[in-house]
Amino acid sequence: MKVLILGGDGYIGWPTAMNLSGAGHEVCVADNYLRRRLMRETDNEALFEVPNLDRRAALWEEKSGRKVTVRVGDLQDWTFMSGLFEDFQPDTIIHYAEQPSAPYSMIDRPAADLTLKNNLGVTFNVIQAMNAYTPDAHLVKLGTMGEYGTPNIDIEEGWIEIEHKGRKDKFLFPRAAGSLYHTTKVLDTDLLWFYVRVWGLRVTDLMQGPVYGLATDENQGDDRLYSFLNYDEVFGTVLNRFMVQAVAGYPLTVYGKGGQTRGYLHLKDALKCVRLAVETPADKGELRVFNQFVETFSVNDLAARVQASGKRLGLDVSVKSLPNPRKEAEEHYYNPTHTGLIDLGLEPTPLSDDIMDDMMNLILRYRDQIEHDRIFRGVAWKK
Ligand code: USQ
């Protein structure tokens, strides 16, 4: 298939490009380096340097003999987006091209404005470009489990049947996001659902939980092909952060009571899920939704796992609860369904001691590059 990856420079974007290219698909990646720019502007750069997309594509070609086409530009710009579709004529579009950080979206008005305009603007342009150039193509859109929030009932996979006054209908499962970033994903879903209904688009919306890890089948043995490993509070996800904190001798930053529970998955499993979605497209006129995670953990569970890994590696890891800078439930019911991807053939990789220790050992190699003052600055959910 011809696969166009929007946001191909990101934490999941570049690993996806190598994975699908390795599987024999023809891959084109597009990105405007927004994440790199925001990391630099907020002094939240990753643990080690990551080559730019042209360098990564050259390294990948050296390693695999396969070509990935690189296009650098802003997907909010219609001329750039429409040119990509016209030239490449994708069968599948994977849309990751969004500002990905919840804390970033809550920093101040300009950061909120950028998040809203970028995320919705790119989604809107993708929809328009599909309609204009590739109306039969399949869009695989990265959403988030955070769209649902933490309701006091089981979370269904995208849809829920409701019986009301003796009549029944199927609706999108109620959404209640916890940050502006997560809210842009809710708005994306609504926009997509509208155009699926009126234009018959073919869409898969992946409700993904927080991802951890770096190693994939494609980057083995070459650190230069790794993704960004962010350990700061803005771009780092919690388990990656905790592992870097453990290596740095920094007490693990559990926010509040630590009962916040989410659905997690390893980067490798994120790739398997996306590939299953790509290779088994949704029907025309269907908005297919998958809850994309493998297992649930509370923040306290993760802290305990990192402490145990530290112990195995001879590190003394302590935990310190901080007043929660976010507005979120710290103790809650959480039981989301996640059978759709398993039914398509996903074989999940649960978090094992080996996975934890391998990742900690990788971080130990870069221990001297950890900037302690990046770990916690207290970006708060204030008005
Ligand atoms: N947390 C801590 N201590 C920390 C960092 C985080 O207790 O040092 C807590 C947070 O308060 C939250 C949980 O850990 O309750 C997860 O936080 P996170 O920063 O790992 O994840 P989040 O901000 O929700 O966002 C990440 C990705 C985002 C993706 C989302 C999936 O950055 O792109 O959409 O995970 S989900 O969380 O399911 O919405």
Side-chain angles (χ1 to χ4, degrees):
M1 279 186 199
K2 292 172 88 170
V3 184
L4 175 60
I5 303 179
L6 309 176
D9 189 48
Y11 175 63
I12 304 173
W14 178 248
T16 305
M18 290 193 290
N19 182 266
L20 294 177
S21 163
H25 296 292
E26 186 182 338
V27 175
C28 172
V29 292
D31 208 295
N32 64 344
Y33 295 129
L34 175 68
R35 184 199 176 103
R36 292 183 191 244
R37 172 162 81 77
L38 300 182
M39 281 171 11
R40 196 166 56 234
E41 284 177 4
T42 57
D43 182 31
N44 283 318
E45 269 139 338
L47 185 58
F48 46 80
E49 252 183 71
V50 166
N52 71 30
L53 272 177
D54 286 302
R55 288 300 95 218
R56 288 170 136 184
L59 288 164
W60 172 242
E61 192 174 344
E62 222 173 83
K63 188 175 167 106
S64 67
R66 295 177 190 279
K67 263 193 197 319
V68 166
T69 306
V70 172
R71 298 282 299 268
V72 175
D74 183 357
L75 295 158
Q76 283 186 83
D77 171 3
W78 173 247
T79 311
F80 179 66
M81 178 75 95
S82 58
L84 268 179
F85 273 74
E86 198 171 6
D87 295 347
F88 189 64
Q89 296 287 325
D91 302 303
T92 307
I93 303 99
I94 303 178
H95 172 17
Y96 295 137
E98 303 209 336
Q99 191 296 98
S101 160
Y104 181 84
S105 74
M106 303 301 288
I107 290 177
D108 56 12
R109 197 208 65 80
D113 184 64
L114 181 149
T115 305
L116 188 72
K117 287 182 179 149
N118 181 79
N119 294 5
L120 267 295
V122 174
T123 300
F124 178 72
N125 268 355
V126 176
I127 292 167
Q128 295 295 333
M130 283 177 73
N131 183 53
Y133 299 101
T134 58
D136 290 326
H138 175 212
L139 174 64
V140 176
K141 162 72 176 50
L142 189 67
T144 170
M145 282 299 292
E147 291 189 31
Y148 302 122
T150 52
N152 201 29
I153 58 170
D154 288 359
I155 295 171
E156 298 304 320
E157 209 142 2
W159 301 93
I160 186 167
E161 196 173 270
I162 294 180
E163 192 174 334
H164 181 63
K165 296 185 178 169
R167 303 177 68 83
K168 273 192 203 159
D169 207 342
K170 203 174 100 176
F171 299 90
L172 281 171
F173 190 90
R175 262 78 171 154
S179 75
L180 177 70
Y181 152 76
H182 287 98
T183 301
T184 62
K185 297 275 188 179
V186 175
L187 298 171
D188 283 337
T189 298
D190 257 330
L191 205 55
L192 288 167
W193 176 217
F194 171 67
Y195 283 108
V196 163
R197 295 197 305 274
V198 298
W199 286 349
L201 295 187
R202 191 192 292 276
V203 179
T204 300
D205 204 357
L206 300 173
M207 303 293 121
Q208 185 171 254
V211 179
Y212 58 86
L214 279 185
T216 67
D217 293 341
E218 293 75 27
N219 62 23
Q220 269 180 7
D222 194 341
D223 290 16
R224 297 169 304 172
L225 289 173
Y226 281 142
S227 280
F228 306 106
L229 179 55
N230 283 98
Y231 56 96
D232 60 88
E233 69 183 289
V234 175
F235 293 102
T237 48
V238 63
L239 183 53
N240 287 350
R241 264 166 72 64
F242 280 3
M243 290 192 275
V244 174
Q245 292 171 8
V247 169
Y250 194 106
L252 306 187
T253 54
V254 168
Y255 295 165
K257 294 184 182 144
Q260 302 92 308
T261 303
R262 304 285 183 267
Y264 291 84
L265 73 168
H266 192 280
L267 179 58
K268 265 190 193 179
D269 277 9
L271 302 184
K272 287 190 223 163
C273 293
V274 169
R275 184 148 154 213
L276 284 168
V278 165
E279 292 178 353
T280 329
D283 292 332
K284 236 182 128 40
E286 181 191 13
L287 174 64
R288 181 175 64 164
V289 184
F290 292 130
N291 291 346
Q292 184 162 311
F293 68 94
V294 163
E295 55 199 328
T296 59
F297 294 109
S298 69
V299 174
N300 288 329
D301 295 334
L302 295 176
R305 293 295 295 264
V306 173
Q307 261 191 316
S309 172
K311 203 165 176 194
R312 288 191 293 276
L313 301 180
L315 300 166
D316 186 17
V317 182
S318 62
V319 178
K320 185 172 171 208
S321 168
L322 299 174
N324 197 339
R326 305 185 182 199
K327 204 164 170 185
E328 62 184 352
E330 294 173 6
E331 286 170 319
H332 57 89
Y333 180 78
Y334 202 61
N335 188 29
T337 310
H338 58 125
T339 50
L341 287 158
I342 307 265
D343 291 346
L344 281 190
L346 172 68
E347 289 175 14
T349 323
L351 179 61
S352 65
D353 291 350
D354 283 349
I355 290 179
M356 301 266 321
D357 299 355
D358 287 353
M359 179 79 175
M360 296 272 275
N361 277 320
L362 189 156
I363 297 165
L364 274 163
R365 287 199 273 120
Y366 292 96
R367 183 185 214 158
D368 294 346
Q369 293 177 206
I370 303 171
E371 305 285 1
H372 289 217
D373 72 314
R374 280 187 179 148
I375 293 176
F376 187 76
R377 293 171 180 155
V379 175
W381 266 224
K382 59 183 188 304
K383 279 204 248 174

